[in-house]
Amino acid sequence: MSISASRKIFASLSTMALAALSLTSVSATAQELKPESAPLGLYAGANFGLSAAQWHCGTSCDRVTFSGKLFGGKRITPGLAAEVNYMFFGGMDRANDAARTAETGEAAMRQKERAVTVGINWEVELKHGFTNQLRAGVAFVHADRKVILADGSEVRRFENSTAPYIGAGIAFQVARDVRLLSSFDYIMNGYLANNHDSQYLFSVGASAEF
């Protein structure tokens, strides 16, 4: 083999080696810059807003109050998660008319509610960082009521109930693991018995993934 041919082969091998090193370097850099998903698949957040009560209104009643929720979830798949919500609804007052006072023995009432929901959160990716969220599950509701009876005396009553729960919302990803949220939640308490004591919650907030 001539010296000239040896030099050409050496030059070709050197060029190939440099190209391989360059590709390796670029690949490593790309892996460093590529966002990684949250390793645990967990998320948590908080929302605050207004709730509306769907209940019987006599001579006067409150319909809207400041409320909110804390929540957390575990992703089963990238688009499906098991989720738990803790919702708190502010105090609302209601005064019954004469007919309902005679029927129930209650002249007025102030009510506060808390609820824990267990269910699923199904997410559908939209465009430009937006995600649609659909929720369904069961709500365990605790009502704390301060009741003024027809004779003017006052009693305090506690009631626990179970009700279907649904929700929907839009999430916008502002960082790799941080989202802004807009949500609607509905606890259908007494809906099937036509004795509504349901609650709507319209809220905004944020969540983080871990």
Side-chain angles (χ1 to χ4, degrees):
M1 182 181 293
S2 66
I3 296 177
S4 177
S6 299
R7 287 178 178 176
K8 288 181 179 181
I9 293 172
F10 179 77
S12 298
L13 292 174
S14 299
T15 302
M16 292 173 63
L18 288 173
L21 289 173
S22 299
L23 289 173
T24 302
S25 176
V26 170
S27 177
T29 303
Q31 289 179 359
E32 290 177 1
L33 296 177
K34 182 181 179 180
E36 296 179 359
S37 59
L40 300 178
L42 301 174
Y43 63 88
N47 276 28
F48 299 95
L50 297 175
S51 68
Q54 185 183 10
W55 61 352
H56 177 81
C57 189
T59 58
S60 65
C61 67
D62 294 332
R63 289 290 191 187
V64 178
T65 187
F66 178 78
S67 304
K69 68 175 183 176
L70 306 174
F71 60 90
K74 166 64 176 177
R75 297 201 179 279
I76 303 170
T77 70
L80 184 66
E83 187 173 279
V84 176
N85 292 270
Y86 171 72
M87 300 183 184
F88 50 93
F89 302 95
M92 290 185 175
D93 295 304
R94 178 179 71 187
N96 290 329
D97 52 28
R100 188 160 181 87
T101 299
E103 177 187 350
T104 63
E106 300 175 351
M109 179 177 68
R110 180 170 180 80
Q111 173 176 288
K112 292 183 178 180
E113 284 190 355
R114 304 288 184 268
V116 174
T117 72
V118 179
I120 59 170
N121 177 21
W122 179 46
E123 298 187 345
V124 179
E125 291 289 339
L126 304 176
K127 294 183 178 180
H128 308 298
F130 286 93
T131 303
N132 185 37
Q133 299 178 327
L134 298 174
R135 298 180 173 87
V138 178
F140 303 92
V141 184
H142 175 75
D144 180 355
R145 300 185 175 113
K146 186 181 292 184
V147 182
I148 299 176
L149 301 178
D151 61 5
S153 61
E154 184 178 297
V155 297
R156 193 170 183 182
R157 295 174 178 168
F158 303 96
E159 181 178 326
N160 297 311
S161 58
T162 304
Y165 157 73
I166 58 174
I170 294 290
F172 176 67
Q173 192 163 0
V174 295
R176 190 188 72 175
D177 296 324
V178 178
R179 292 179 173 185
L180 298 180
L181 307 171
S182 175
S183 300
F184 162 76
D185 300 283
Y186 181 32
I187 297 176
M188 298 179 283
N189 204 0
Y191 186 84
L192 298 178
N194 199 26
N195 181 27
H196 294 309
D197 193 11
S198 301
Q199 292 278 3
Y200 300 91
L201 175 60
F202 303 88
S203 62
V204 295
S207 68
E209 303 225 6
F210 308 94

